[in-house]
Amino acid sequence: MKRWTTILCNLLGMLLLTALWPGIAGAGETVCLRCHGGQAGRLGEPVPQWQGSVHRAGGISCHHCHGGNPADFALAMNPDQGFIGVPTKANIPSFCGRCHVGVLEDYLASAHGRALNHDGPQCVTCHGNHQVVRASLDLINPRDCSRCHAYGRAEELRQAVAGTDTLIAGLTQNLAELHRLGFATKAQDEALFALRNDFHRVFHDVEVEKVRAQTAVFEQRLGKIATVAAAIRQRYEQRKLWGGIIVAVLVLAGLCALLIHKSYREEKSDLS
């Protein structure tokens, strides 16, 4: 009887799990994605674009930007639930600036921002809308910048920030490697993360001379982080050196032990 009770409980548990599985599997998917993902054309395009974006990589979904209730189809586009929808072109900077506050300030003060009401470029012009890409030097390129103006000035800006951007990339890789080797790099990672974000704000100030002056300050800040990383790297090299010495000593000790044991056996054999 006890055996049959156990079997019955297991069967009921499996049936209950089967019934609830669609809800469990879709718990991390908003109704926005479920609805738009099943549509073709313009209404369905945002989903695959978002899936390859830096927003998705950072856990940012539709409702974080557009508002609404992401768990209820009936309330997903309800203004009472904070639904905003698609902003007008002139409102895009303030729309994105709700999260990117510092960047918004820099943009509005730049030549790009001052031209906003005269059909000037805004966030989507350079970064895209749903397929937002990670901020990098690749965004400054002849194809995209020359859509609005000659590329020459943009190329000067790219050259002004390229050296510092390369230093940041190299230091990021160095810290990641040290972390994999078991060293505590949290403080340096956080400092570099903050510096990178501040530096990317400089990209929005399209005054080349001003950007060049600011990059010198960032390189000084990078130097402090790099000094700490170099000290950690030196400790690692010292550990490798001492580890190699210890291994060599142990190998020599093992060889000596073998030779002593061999001599002992030979002497014992001669005596017998």
Side-chain angles (χ1 to χ4, degrees):
M1 183 65 182
K2 187 174 181 180
R3 178 187 173 189
W4 285 108
T5 302
T6 302
I7 293 174
L8 182 60
C9 288
N10 288 335
L11 287 173
L12 287 173
M14 291 175 66
L15 288 172
L16 182 62
L17 181 61
T18 302
L20 293 177
W21 180 253
I24 296 172
E29 189 176 63
T30 66
V31 296
C32 319
L33 295 171
R34 290 163 63 186
C35 181
H36 284 275
Q39 300 189 55
R42 182 179 63 84
L43 293 176
E45 288 174 356
V47 176
Q49 291 174 350
W50 168 81
Q51 287 173 337
S53 72
V54 68
H55 276 174
R56 185 194 183 185
I60 305 300
S61 193
C62 315
H63 60 287
H64 292 106
C65 297
H66 295 284
N69 188 329
D72 191 313
F73 280 101
L75 299 175
M77 298 177 66
N78 190 326
D80 293 335
Q81 296 288 316
F83 180 72
I84 299 173
V86 181
T88 63
K89 184 176 180 180
N91 288 331
I92 288 175
S94 58
F95 183 85
C96 301
R98 292 173 299 160
C99 293
H100 303 282
V101 179
V103 172
L104 175 62
E105 294 175 357
D106 294 330
Y107 163 78
L108 291 175
S110 72
H112 285 170
R114 293 194 297 272
L116 178 62
N117 294 325
H118 303 284
D119 203 32
Q122 27 68 26
C123 317
V124 170
T125 308
C126 301
H127 296 277
N129 48 11
H130 298 100
Q131 71 279 19
V132 182
V133 297
R134 188 176 299 278
S136 71
L137 280 179
D138 294 336
L139 291 175
I140 307 175
N141 62 78
R143 184 194 64 192
D144 292 329
C145 297
S146 59
R147 288 179 299 169
C148 302
H149 51 71
Y151 181 60
R153 189 72 171 173
E155 173 62 20
E156 289 184 36
L157 178 65
R158 181 186 173 96
Q159 291 177 359
V161 298
T164 306
D165 196 66
T166 301
L167 290 174
I168 291 174
L171 189 52
T172 300
Q173 184 176 355
N174 187 14
L175 289 174
E177 183 181 352
L178 290 172
H179 180 72
R180 287 194 299 270
L181 291 171
F183 290 92
T185 59
K186 183 179 179 181
Q188 288 71 45
D189 287 330
E190 291 177 348
L192 185 59
F193 179 80
L195 186 149
R196 185 190 301 110
N197 287 343
D198 290 343
F199 181 65
H200 283 163
R201 288 183 57 176
V202 174
F203 284 48
H204 296 86
D205 192 331
V206 291
E207 299 295 333
V208 177
E209 294 305 323
K210 186 176 179 181
V211 169
R212 285 174 178 159
Q214 292 184 46
T215 54
V217 177
F218 283 106
E219 289 184 6
Q220 289 179 359
R221 289 173 58 185
L222 273 172
K224 294 179 181 179
I225 302 173
T227 299
V228 177
I232 296 174
R233 175 71 64 177
Q234 186 177 16
R235 292 206 303 271
Y236 169 65
E237 296 298 335
Q238 289 175 344
R239 288 185 184 182
K240 280 177 58 179
L241 176 62
W242 283 108
I245 292 173
I246 291 171
V247 169
V249 169
L250 290 174
V251 170
L252 288 173
L255 289 173
C256 289
L258 285 173
L259 290 173
I260 292 171
H261 180 67
K262 183 179 179 181
S263 299
Y264 173 76
R265 290 184 61 182
E266 290 175 351
E267 289 179 3
K268 186 176 180 182
S269 176
D270 291 341
L271 291 174
S272 61

